[in-house]
Amino acid sequence: ALDIGSGTGYLCAAMAYMVGDNGKVVGVEHIDELVQDSIAKINKHHSHLLKSKRVEIFCGDGRLGYEKEAPFDAIHVGAAAALSVADDLCKQLKNGGKMVIPVELASGEQIFREYRKDEKGNVHFENIVPVRYVPLTSEQSQRKSHLFS
């Protein structure tokens, strides 16, 4: 499984328990301080997840996914992305895989969307609910935002 915008690492740890002993969760976060903090937090109470490599967290641009470990059974994106990013991330899903992602529509509205890749590799989606997330952006843009003021 892939967690984009892994932040504190909490969801990576939770996902590791969901995927079980033979599964793996990769977290991608573009703020290195958050990567280091999340690793320290997971290490404090769930170090076996890191030692066994059931959880790995990397610093990188989540808009690119994590091709090195693709394809994934499941992808979670924790920030609103452009439709083109969602389309690109679907390429990193396994056939039969699912992705949940808030997407920003042309109108500026955001919708929480579930993408499914069927066994033949065709992608389908369903709009779930209107939402309001921070944007999935570059590290530079995020550091300029009010979140780092």
Side-chain angles (χ1 to χ4, degrees):
L2 176 62
D3 181 27
I4 295 174
S6 56
T8 64
Y10 170 80
L11 188 56
C12 286
M15 289 170 75
Y17 287 103
M18 289 189 285
V19 301
D21 291 341
N22 295 321
K24 180 176 183 175
V25 177
V26 175
V28 177
E29 172 58 55
H30 64 200
I31 304 292
D32 189 56
E33 295 92 327
L34 290 176
V35 171
Q36 299 312 315
D37 189 48
S38 64
I39 290 170
K41 286 178 181 175
I42 294 170
N43 223 3
K44 187 173 181 179
H45 297 290
H46 305 277
S47 61
H48 65 284
L49 296 175
L50 295 169
K51 288 177 186 168
S52 66
K53 297 198 181 286
R54 284 179 52 202
V55 171
E56 289 189 286
I57 301 176
F58 299 98
C59 189
D61 187 340
R63 296 171 297 179
L64 304 175
Y66 199 73
E67 286 192 45
K68 182 178 176 184
E69 297 278 345
F72 297 97
D73 291 306
I75 299 174
H76 165 266
V77 181
L83 291 171
S84 61
V85 171
D87 291 341
D88 289 343
L89 292 174
C90 282
K91 295 173 186 167
Q92 294 185 32
L93 277 175
K94 280 185 184 174
N95 288 359
K98 290 184 179 183
M99 174 174 68
V100 291
I101 180 172
V103 293
E104 185 147 342
L105 306 175
S107 63
E109 295 177 285
Q110 295 178 0
I111 192 88
F112 196 70
R113 188 174 273 184
E114 176 189 58
Y115 286 85
R116 296 171 309 284
K117 186 181 273 191
D118 67 26
E119 293 301 330
K120 293 180 180 178
N122 299 308
V123 176
H124 311 275
F125 69 84
E126 180 180 352
N127 291 332
I128 306 298
V129 65
V131 292
R132 179 56 55 197
Y133 277 73
V134 297
L136 185 63
T137 185
S138 68
E139 176 185 5
Q140 183 180 19
S141 292
Q142 187 170 343
R143 288 189 181 278
K144 287 181 182 177
S145 75
H146 70 281
L147 299 173
F148 280 86
S149 299

